[in-house]
Amino acid sequence: MTVLKGLREAGVLFVIALVVVAVAAGAWVAVAGGDFVNRFGVALVVVGALLGVTGDLTLSRIGMLDARATFGLAPEQETGGGGRVLTGVGIFLFVGLPLVAAGVLLVS
């Protein structure tokens, strides 16, 4: 069951990323002109790379280390929260990497 929940979560994240990237590419074409498919591919590569790198909460945890230390709090633990099933590696493999691959295919 956990595998199905993880795949469902990855599918939802993938579809949301596609919709957001399509809107951003459409705005890019409306403002600057050009080919939608090419710009959509470039935007997919950028968003896929960003999701692959920042898909986990690691960067936000790093940003809070000084504040937590100032108030005498222990560093955050890597425990699941909010009903999330996918880890950073899962988001990279099942969301970020397919977005980058689709973007490369559209650009070439």
Side-chain angles (χ1 to χ4, degrees):
M1 287 310 251
T2 304
V3 172
L4 293 176
K5 286 181 184 178
L7 290 175
R8 190 176 328 132
E9 183 180 342
V12 169
L13 288 173
F14 187 78
V15 169
I16 290 172
L18 284 177
V19 170
V20 169
V21 169
V23 169
W28 188 10
V29 169
V31 170
D35 182 31
F36 176 77
V37 175
N38 195 16
R39 306 255 170 137
F40 183 60
V42 170
L44 279 176
V45 170
V46 169
V47 169
L50 286 174
L51 273 177
V53 172
T54 64
D56 197 7
L57 298 174
T58 304
L59 292 180
S60 64
R61 287 186 186 140
I62 290 172
M64 289 298 295
L65 284 178
D66 290 335
R68 292 185 69 83
T70 300
F71 293 111
L73 300 173
E76 292 183 41
Q77 300 295 318
E78 268 199 55
T79 58
R84 287 186 57 202
V85 177
L86 289 178
T87 61
V89 174
I91 291 174
F92 170 74
L93 288 176
F94 296 116
V95 181
L97 204 59
L99 285 173
V100 170
V104 168
L105 286 175
L106 286 176
V107 170
S108 64

